[in-house]
Every structure is written in structure tokens, then in C-alpha cells.
Amino acid sequence: MVKRERLGVILSESRLPELIASLTETYRIFGPSKKDDGESFAAIHKSEELALDYGNTKMSPKGFFFPQTESLMWYDSADKKAKQDKPEVQPTLLFGLRPCDALAISYLDKVFLSNEPQDPYYRQRREATKIVCLACNSPSPTCFCTTVGCGPDSEKGADIMMYKLNDRYLMKALTPGGEEIFTNIDVETEPATSQDIVEKDDLVNKACQMVKRFVDIDEFKEKLNNFQGPWWEKLAQKCLGCGICTYFCPTCHCFDVTDEVVKQSGRRVRTWDSCMYPLFTLHASGHNPRPGIKERMRQRIMHKFNYAVEYYGETFCVGCGRCIIHCPVNIDIRQIIMDIAEER
Amino acid sequence: MKNPYMPIPVRIDNINIENDARDIKTFRLVFLNKEDADAFNFMPGQFAELSILGVGECPIGIASSPTEKGYLLFTVKRTGVVTTKLHHAEIGDIIGVRGPLGNTYPFEKMRNSNVLIVSGGFAFTTLRATVKYILDSANRFNYRDLTVIYGARTPGELLYKSELWAWEKRNDLAMQVTVDKGDKSWSRYEGFVPAVLKKIAPAAKQTIALVCGPPIMIKFTLPVLKELGFSDDSIFLSLEMRMKCGIGKCGRCNIGHKYVCKDGPVFSSAELQKLPQEY
């Protein structure tokens, strides 16, 4: 058991294998994996498999709670009765998540859990999972978290916050869930000193300086109140409508529900969907309220920076930069924000 | 916890072909389990997802009133994949219902007011439920004058015909039926709904207007209502959108920051004016 300390605890880097070994006794662990150069989260059995110096994973971890495809129910033609599918859950730890991804999960919690009725599939996975966050010491060039209310040491969504100091980790339990993790592990730690905190603050400040703040986000949001703004036409010209931004986005949560039938049995499946596709809003009558790329791009930007603010009180962008990295025609959401903010 | 994605099993108890074109049918559905029936509490204006395993779901307004006990009515036009499959269904078939979903017409606001209903085509369904609800002897005294203006393209395209003719004979509502073009035996109004509304000119004072119909009807009805003196917060409209989850999560039916499935489908004209014109 790790004792609770006011400033957190210090774990020597050499004890990381012990920490992971201890955690695996209680939890299934997923973390950025060396197998894939830290590009993806994979099951972790020992600390050597972890790639904790990664920038950011390619896919966001949203699929742990909201899989790209999941069966909601199944049925066979004999009795025509729908039987509920239940996700298999066991105590799980997401280890070494970046603060932006943890923040994004706190937004997904709002979508799936804050309004009645709650989503039972999401809830079962979420309740079984705890999040150990690792602050960023060296953000990527595409990161813009500080512009959108996140940051290299953002704590929201994390149960435990970890900071990599020179040869050791500073760890802080932030929630009862985090304290529960501490009680479940058996590894030697020391209380953090004020000198450790100074070192941590210094690293965070350096990281913050590396993330360029490029625009006044409030000015941009103010402009979005003009739904008919003249900028959409021009911004949409470049977009192919491929929707890859929505698949990589850690806060995008739109989904489709379809029926799949094979021979005598079938299942009702939920899959990720994208507002960038024309079928997303096409009525059976043929009418489409968002008929073109302009309308659909507007929806994506407005949903994140305007509608979600109204609906959930949060901006549904955490500045992870995945949409910038993966857009095939180099659309940069930072540029969109700038263009709109600076439009006179 | 209750799973909002699981359809409640119902049996198709009756099927009524509503129109000459035979592409609109009213399905009477009966719950297989009594506890499901008891738990299904709704008010007119709400909708449900009709669910056919192996095919999919579609959102349809509930055409019956909660005062009609023991069954639900859904009037469905054959349009897409699910509605076509439904039109091929037979009495006795088991399907699913997911709901009730969405908000209701503003019954609290309508209390002690006159109610004006303006509707066209096959959008009359949840307003039929509203008429039925208000006319119920347990509710009628809560509302003042009830005026219903309902139109269709031709006499053969009117929904619930026998009910319409019965309502015409009653003295506790003013039932006005119009068609775009009548036939030889047609003796009622002829002309578009907005024109008939203008001719009848119901008083706007202490009146709540409920409007549901095709976009073109709504476009020309709203100015007439404004002319008659209706304010934007006394006009209520019911909207439709492509939907999947019906519970405000899947993200497609929004108009601005409102989800039609959860925050609607009923919106006041005042609310809609604050939202983007994207529907």
C-alpha cells in the first residue's frame, strides 16, 4: 500500500517494473506500447513493454469505452427476441495516458453518462476503468492543448497524475479511484518534497512554452455565434469529406446503429459514424439538412466549439492535434480557428 | 439499469390502410408484457423508435393518445428500408418499440387556453393524438376552444377519415378539413392550409397554435399566424430529423445545440428563431 502524502509520492524510475508488476495483480493494464513505438495502446504485462516517452498515440483511447464496433444485442430468427449483449469488463487501468486524452474521456462521460438515460455499455466499461495520467514534458509540434483549456499537466479525467522528473516519477492520487489504486499496490515510495514540486513546476512551465498559443480562442468562439459566417465556403473547399478527423478525434462520439444478419441470426451493432458523411443526416424523403461539405464542416467545428459549450459547458476539443496529423489534405484546425478569429 | 437501446416487444394487432395511394398505414400495437405497457407513460407529441430485428429502426410519432388504453397507434408512410418492411408486416407479427422519446406538446401552457391545431398531410399523427387527448371527458374542461385545420392533397389522402367526419359533427371542437383539389363529391374547403387558416382567422388571444406539416406548409402558415396576432412563443412546431439512438447521444439530429430527439421534437417558434436554419 502506498501511503497518501500531501505533495504526492516519489517513485524511483528503477522501481517502475515493481509498480507495474504490483498493478497487474489487480488490474488489466493498457498503455502506450513499445511494440508500436508508442503509437498505440496495448495490453501491458511488464514495464519493459511500456513506451512512456511517446508523444501521443495514433488512435485516441476512446475505443476502450466506446469501441469502433460493438454489438448491442443479438437475436436468432427462431424466437425473434432481442438479447442484450453485455461488454466483458474487468478492473482495468489505462496507464500513461496523456492529459488531453484523459480530458477527452471526461467529455465523453458527459455525453454518455451525464444525461438520462445513461448509456449502459459505456458505463460498464467506464466504471471498471481507472486512469493513470502522465504529464507531457515534450509536447508534439501539432499540440495546441493550452489554447483550448487543456495543458501538459491537465488533471481532469485522471485518477492518478504522474510527472516524469529526472530519474523518478512524482505521483498524486486525485480521486477516490486513484487512492484505491494506491491501496492496491505494494511498492516502495517516498513522500514528495517541496524541491520535487519545484522541479515538476519547472518542467510543466517548459512544456507549456513549447505548446504555442496562437490565437485568442474567445474571439473565435464569439465569431461562431454567426452561423451564416462567410468563412465556411472557403474553408470547406479543401476538405474531401473523408471523415478521418472524426475517427482520430478523442471527443468525437457520433455513432450509427445498424442490423447485421448472417443466415439465421443477427445482431444490432453500434459503429462510429461521422458528421462528415452525407448519409449521416439524409432523411428517408431525400431531404438533407446538411447537403454539402460546407454544412458538414460547419457542423463539426460548431459542435466542438459552440454547441457542446451550450449543451455540456465544455469545448469538445482538447488540442491533441490528431486531426492535423492525419488529414490527407493538410487541413489544420488551428488555421481554421485563426482564419475565423481574424476574419473582419 | 434499464437499457434504452433494447426494444420492447409488441404484437401488431391491427393494420389500417389510410390513403388511396396505399402507402400510409396505421399499425395498432399491443405490448406482449403487461409491465411494459404499464411503464410506457407518454403524452401526445412524443415519438418512439419502431424496431424490426434484422432490418433496423425508424422514429415515428405516436398517433394514439394515452387516454386510449391497451394499445399504441403509429401511422407510417412507406419511404425507407424499415417502413417498407413494416408495410409488408401482417397482423400477429412481433416487432419492437423503443420509447417514449422526446418532449410533448406544451400541455401545461395549453391549459385554460384555446388550442389551434394546423396540420397537413401525414404529419397529422401526433396532433390526432392531441385532439383525442383534449376531447377525452377527463381532460376537455382543462382547455377552452379547440380548432383543428387539417388538409391533404386530395380527399383520398386524408388520414383518419371516419374520425374526422365524426369530429365535424361534435360541438366541442371546430373541425375544418381542406384538400388542395377536391373531387365531385367534395363539399368542404378546397385550397391550401395557410389560405384556409387565413379565411377562418381564429382569434390569437389566449390561443396556443400547434403546427405540423410539410416544410412548404409551415413556411406559408407561420406568416399567416403572425398576421393573426400569434406571438412566437404561442406557436409550437414538431420537427423531424434522421435519428438513430433517440436519446441525444448519437449526434446526428441536432439543430444548433438542440437535439430534436431529446430536446424536441416540439419547439416553440421563438426557440427555433434562436437556432440555425438548418432543418
Side-chain angles (χ1 to χ4, degrees):
Chain A
M1 175 169 166
V2 170
K3 256 177 70 185
R4 197 175 169 197
E5 301 290 345
R6 191 173 59 87
L7 298 176
V9 297
I10 292 291
L11 176 88
S12 158
E13 195 177 10
S14 60
R15 293 198 185 276
L16 191 64
E18 276 174 58
L19 174 72
I20 298 299
S22 180
L23 286 170
T24 50
E25 283 173 24
T26 317
Y27 305 98
R28 228 170 26 143
I29 302 181
F30 291 92
S33 162
K34 261 193 191 138
K35 260 186 278 178
D36 201 11
D37 291 331
E39 287 270 282
S40 67
F41 284 87
I44 299 293
H45 309 94
K46 46 185 192 286
S47 66
E48 297 88 83
E49 294 167 350
L50 274 171
L52 288 180
D53 52 354
Y54 75 115
N56 217 339
T57 50
K58 195 169 183 179
M59 289 300 273
S60 89
K62 70 180 173 187
F64 281 106
F65 310 102
F66 170 49
Q68 189 162 357
T69 303
E70 75 178 308
S71 179
L72 301 178
M73 65 198 75
W74 65 277
Y75 41 85
D76 57 46
S77 58
D79 65 356
K80 293 257 166 97
K81 272 187 200 150
K83 288 134 204 140
Q84 183 178 339
D85 267 311
K86 277 203 175 132
E88 273 180 39
V89 290
Q90 43 181 306
T92 301
L93 208 62
L94 298 186
F95 190 91
L97 216 69
R98 290 299 179 195
C100 53
D101 286 342
L103 182 63
I105 289 166
S106 80
Y107 295 163
L108 295 182
D109 287 350
K110 295 211 165 193
V111 174
F112 290 106
L113 303 178
S114 74
N115 288 333
E116 287 300 323
Q118 292 187 340
D119 189 287
Y121 304 90
Y122 182 93
R123 183 173 142 170
Q124 283 176 54
R125 293 194 181 90
R126 186 67 182 92
E127 280 179 346
T129 308
K130 297 192 173 54
I131 293 171
V132 178
C133 221
L134 178 62
C136 300
N137 287 349
S138 51
S140 305
T142 44
C143 291
F144 61 104
C145 50
T146 52
T147 305
V148 287
C150 184
D153 64 333
S154 165
E155 294 181 340
K156 206 166 163 196
D159 293 301
I160 288 182
M161 196 70 193
M162 276 173 81
Y163 300 86
K164 175 78 200 299
L165 310 182
N166 186 23
D167 54 353
R168 60 207 192 283
Y169 291 98
L170 167 66
M171 296 172 77
K172 251 167 59 184
L174 304 172
T175 64
E179 282 164 27
E180 189 196 306
I181 299 172
F182 273 177
T183 61
N184 282 337
I185 50 179
D186 191 20
V187 60
E188 202 183 306
T189 56
E190 294 160 24
T193 63
S194 54
Q195 186 52 43
D196 295 321
I197 302 301
V198 169
E199 194 178 332
K200 182 264 290 183
D201 288 344
D202 190 40
L203 281 167
V204 170
N205 280 338
K206 272 192 193 134
C208 281
Q209 279 161 23
M210 288 161 80
V211 184
K212 212 173 133 210
R213 284 193 70 129
F214 55 91
V215 74
D216 179 358
I217 193 83
D218 293 328
E219 199 172 332
F220 163 67
K221 286 187 184 169
E222 183 65 39
K223 287 272 173 60
L224 290 186
N225 290 326
N226 178 8
F227 183 77
Q228 298 293 0
W231 40 76
W232 299 114
E233 192 80 53
K234 201 172 135 211
L235 290 172
Q237 276 175 358
K238 206 167 154 187
C239 178
L240 306 174
C242 73
I244 199 71
C245 46
T246 59
Y247 281 77
F248 282 108
C249 177
T251 72
C252 273
H253 56 270
C254 291
F255 60 84
D256 197 2
V257 179
T258 48
D259 283 44
E260 287 178 355
V261 184
V262 180
K263 287 185 184 158
Q264 300 302 305
S265 67
R267 50 179 198 157
R268 186 157 287 166
V269 182
R270 149 154 92 188
T271 44
W272 292 356
D273 203 352
S274 171
C275 59
M276 298 308 295
Y277 301 151
L279 281 178
F280 189 65
T281 47
L282 180 68
H283 293 201
S285 66
H287 170 67
N288 193 342
R290 295 181 209 131
I293 288 195
K294 173 187 141 190
E295 290 81 12
R296 298 197 280 273
M297 181 181 239
R298 176 167 61 193
Q299 164 67 17
R300 195 172 85 82
I301 303 293
M302 290 291 275
H303 192 186
K304 295 195 176 310
F305 295 96
N306 187 289
Y307 306 157
V309 177
E310 286 269 357
Y311 211 87
Y312 296 111
E314 305 283 1
T315 302
F316 268 35
C317 173
V318 294
C320 71
R322 288 186 178 92
C323 57
I324 304 169
I325 297 169
H326 297 291
C327 178
V329 291
N330 298 323
I331 293 177
D332 187 330
I333 195 163
R334 295 170 297 187
Q335 191 64 46
I336 292 178
I337 294 173
M338 256 189 297
D339 284 355
I340 294 177
E342 283 160 15
E343 180 91 26
R344 298 282 170 239
Chain B
M1 80 187 276
K2 199 174 164 285
N3 185 333
Y5 298 100
M6 293 300 286
I8 309 161
V10 290
R11 191 185 70 245
I12 299 177
D13 184 54
N14 188 42
I15 301 173
N16 184 42
I17 298 168
E18 293 285 350
N19 61 343
D20 285 354
R22 303 176 72 86
D23 64 350
I24 302 175
K25 291 182 179 178
T26 297
F27 297 85
R28 191 166 72 198
L29 307 179
V30 177
F31 289 99
L32 293 190
N33 306 313
K34 189 179 177 298
E35 59 272 25
D36 291 336
D38 294 342
F40 199 94
N41 295 314
F42 71 100
M43 282 291 280
Q46 289 191 283
F47 69 98
E49 291 274 355
L50 297 186
S51 176
I52 304 179
L53 294 177
V55 182
E57 297 187 318
C58 62
I60 306 283
I62 304 172
S64 54
S65 154
T67 54
E68 299 172 272
K69 300 288 183 199
Y71 59 87
L72 298 172
L73 295 177
F74 289 90
T75 301
V76 180
K77 187 180 166 80
R78 189 182 69 233
T79 312
V81 176
V82 178
T83 53
T84 299
K85 185 76 182 175
L86 202 53
H87 269 246
H88 291 149
E90 290 173 11
I91 292 173
D93 284 357
I94 307 295
I95 64 166
V97 162
R98 212 151 59 70
L101 302 169
N103 66 357
T104 76
Y105 287 114
F107 287 93
E108 264 318 299
K109 246 190 124 162
M110 285 147 64
R111 190 175 273 262
N112 299 323
S113 298
N114 304 313
V115 178
L116 168 67
I117 286 175
V118 184
S119 182
F122 63 97
F124 189 48
T125 59
T126 57
L127 290 170
R128 181 258 171 208
T130 306
V131 173
K132 202 78 189 164
Y133 180 82
I134 292 176
L135 290 182
D136 191 88
S137 56
N139 302 320
R140 186 64 190 90
F141 61 90
N142 285 327
Y143 310 93
R144 293 163 65 178
D145 293 349
L146 172 61
T147 306
V148 181
I149 300 171
Y150 172 48
R153 260 176 269 165
T154 63
E157 291 302 303
L158 289 162
L159 304 182
Y160 318 124
K161 285 182 261 297
S162 57
E163 226 162 28
L164 297 179
W165 313 146
W167 287 344
E168 274 187 339
K169 296 197 184 85
R170 291 175 71 134
N171 55 12
D172 54 356
L173 85 160
M175 182 74 221
Q176 314 285 0
V177 183
T178 181
V179 292
D180 298 355
K181 186 86 188 91
D183 53 22
K184 277 186 211 126
S185 61
W186 187 254
S187 57
R188 298 170 177 86
Y189 284 107
E190 207 174 51
F192 297 131
V193 167
V196 173
L197 172 66
K198 199 166 181 172
K199 198 180 286 174
I200 295 167
K205 200 172 170 222
Q206 286 200 353
T207 305
I208 300 293
L210 310 180
V211 183
C212 192
I216 191 75
M217 184 205 94
I218 290 172
K219 186 178 167 189
F220 289 103
T221 296
L222 291 181
V224 177
L225 286 173
K226 296 299 277 289
E227 237 173 76
L228 292 171
F230 282 85
S231 65
D232 283 321
D233 51 13
S234 65
I235 303 171
F236 288 82
L237 299 105
S238 179
L239 305 186
E240 55 179 14
M241 274 286 167
R242 185 184 179 114
M243 292 173 188
K244 287 284 177 173
C245 72
I247 51 175
K249 307 204 188 299
C250 82
R252 73 198 60 231
C253 71
N254 70 302
I255 301 171
H257 66 277
K258 298 278 188 194
Y259 286 110
V260 174
C261 70
K262 193 173 165 68
D263 307 310
V266 178
F267 294 96
S268 73
S269 178
E271 280 178 287
L272 283 178
Q273 282 183 10
K274 287 189 211 129
L275 296 177
Q277 300 289 305
E278 193 179 53
Y279 44 90

